[in-house]
Amino acid sequence: MVAHLSDGSGAPALGPQLLRSWIGYRRRVEQKLASSGFTDRRLPDGMLLRLCVAHEGLTLTRIGREMQISRQGASKLVADLCERGFLSLEKSPGDGREKLVRPTPEARAFLQAFRAARREVDEEIREQLGAEAVRALTALTELLGEPSGAWRSGDIWREVRSRSSLLDLGDL
């Protein structure tokens, strides 16, 4: 059962609706990924893989800095993705204590499938809503969104994790 929260005026509360919508969107994308063979997906995977593809040869220290987590946290995430075949580690030629992180072909295939899944979901939503509703949705997200470039991806995920538990979302 989904709780129908109100803002007091009888209208549904927008915050919980937007968060539920985002979760539903992610679920649709993840279902498409699963149908492409990518069934083992966890929250930071996409962000970390995109970072490693965009800046090949990152160190664990830099990954931690970019994701705003500790080096140990970055090391744990990278180790998991190495075990799953998405990343590889090699010694840094400049610093024997540091390791360089490289994406594997599987990581690149995952990101390609992710982008395709997102495009498919976007197109399905556009077809279901129609042009006028999509314009209204775009206007809403632009009204509520931060100015372009104001958020780094690590900031967004940290915000989602910290704030989603504070919202009264009912049963998702």
Side-chain angles (χ1 to χ4, degrees):
M1 180 176 147
V2 175
H4 295 284
L5 304 172
S6 172
D7 63 4
S9 70
L14 287 177
Q17 280 188 320
L18 291 169
L19 187 55
R20 267 196 217 80
S21 297
W22 178 77
I23 291 168
Y25 178 87
R26 281 187 55 99
R27 286 183 180 158
R28 286 182 180 199
V29 170
E30 288 169 355
Q31 288 169 350
K32 294 204 178 287
L33 277 171
S35 69
S36 298
F38 295 102
T39 57
D40 184 21
R41 169 121 166 70
R42 300 176 196 148
L43 185 65
D45 291 358
M47 180 174 57
L48 179 53
L49 293 176
R50 282 190 301 275
L51 182 64
C52 291
V53 166
H55 307 282
E56 192 160 331
L58 288 175
T59 63
L60 292 170
T61 301
R62 177 140 181 238
I63 289 171
R65 193 175 316 122
E66 292 292 327
M67 293 182 71
Q68 296 184 346
I69 59 176
S70 68
R71 184 185 186 286
Q72 291 79 11
S75 180
K76 184 177 178 181
L77 292 174
V78 167
D80 178 58
L81 287 169
C82 284
E83 283 180 26
R84 292 165 45 209
F86 290 106
L87 297 175
S88 64
L89 289 173
E90 61 185 55
K91 289 187 179 189
S92 170
D95 183 352
R97 298 170 296 170
E98 194 63 83
K99 293 194 166 68
L100 300 179
V101 180
R102 304 234 185 256
T104 64
E106 183 76 358
R108 293 178 194 283
F110 169 81
L111 290 174
Q112 185 176 11
F114 178 77
R115 285 188 293 271
R118 223 175 44 200
R119 281 191 304 270
E120 286 178 38
V121 170
D122 288 355
E123 187 56 36
E124 289 169 4
I125 292 170
R126 283 185 186 98
E127 287 175 10
Q128 291 171 346
L129 287 178
E132 186 176 332
V134 169
R135 280 192 296 276
L137 178 61
T138 300
L140 174 64
T141 57
E142 287 177 4
L143 173 73
L144 297 175
E146 293 292 324
S148 180
W151 286 84
R152 291 178 22 184
S153 60
D155 296 334
I156 292 169
W157 292 115
R158 179 172 291 103
E159 192 80 11
V160 167
R161 285 191 300 265
S162 67
R163 293 188 185 268
S164 63
S165 62
L166 300 176
L167 295 173
D168 179 12
L169 299 177
D171 295 329
L172 298 174

